[in-house]
Amino acid sequence: QVQLVESGGGLVQAGGSLRLSCAASRRAISTYTMGWFRQAPGKEREFVAAISWSGGSTSYADSVKGRFTISRDNAKNTLYLQMNSLKPEDTAVYYCAADTASYKISRHSDEYDYWGQGTQVTVSS
């Protein structure tokens, strides 16, 4: 069982930056693909970014490509999402997730086995 806890959300103005963290406990995440998803009010959960267990492969949603950077520190058992040039449409609850089943990267939420409780990101115009 992997426990994931997100932090770092908050209120920022458009064009600003935030760094989200996802701290894992109970088990190491060093062999897991990790991802970030988000859900805005009235909308379905959507893929944001993912990173392979080694950090050698990443994937980003088109809407965040070039602005967000996913990274991991396996020694600290922590996943990060650096968010730059934030836009009001980035406003959502952000969730981190772990895929324990394979080494391949996935954009699909049903491939991920464990989820954090989410952290709110609000971007004002």
Side-chain angles (χ1 to χ4, degrees):
Q1 182 86 2
V2 179
Q3 182 175 354
L4 304 172
V5 179
E6 302 95 335
S7 62
L11 174 64
V12 298
Q13 293 184 348
S17 298
L18 283 174
R19 190 192 195 199
L20 305 184
S21 298
C22 174
S25 61
R26 307 289 186 181
R27 292 182 181 272
I29 61 170
S30 57
T31 63
Y32 303 156
T33 293
M34 299 293 295
W36 288 97
F37 293 78
R38 67 187 183 186
Q39 187 167 19
K43 295 188 175 182
E44 294 294 311
R45 182 174 54 189
E46 67 174 354
F47 171 80
V48 177
I51 186 168
S52 64
W53 69 271
S54 66
S57 181
T58 59
S59 181
Y60 295 93
D62 289 342
S63 59
V64 307
K65 192 173 298 181
R67 300 187 297 119
F68 291 11
T69 302
I70 188 171
S71 62
R72 65 193 300 162
D73 187 338
N74 287 339
K76 295 184 180 295
N77 218 28
T78 302
L79 176 74
Y80 303 98
L81 184 68
Q82 179 66 47
M83 305 185 295
N84 298 327
S85 301
L86 283 162
K87 304 175 180 180
E89 50 263 46
D90 294 319
T91 295
V93 177
Y94 283 70
Y95 300 89
C96 67
D99 176 6
T100 66
S102 69
Y103 296 120
K104 71 179 180 67
I105 202 163
S106 177
R107 292 171 171 256
H108 302 291
S109 61
D110 60 358
E111 296 291 335
Y112 291 81
D113 305 296
Y114 298 102
W115 294 82
Q117 80 291 337
T119 186
Q120 177 71 48
V121 172
T122 303
V123 184
S124 62
S125 60

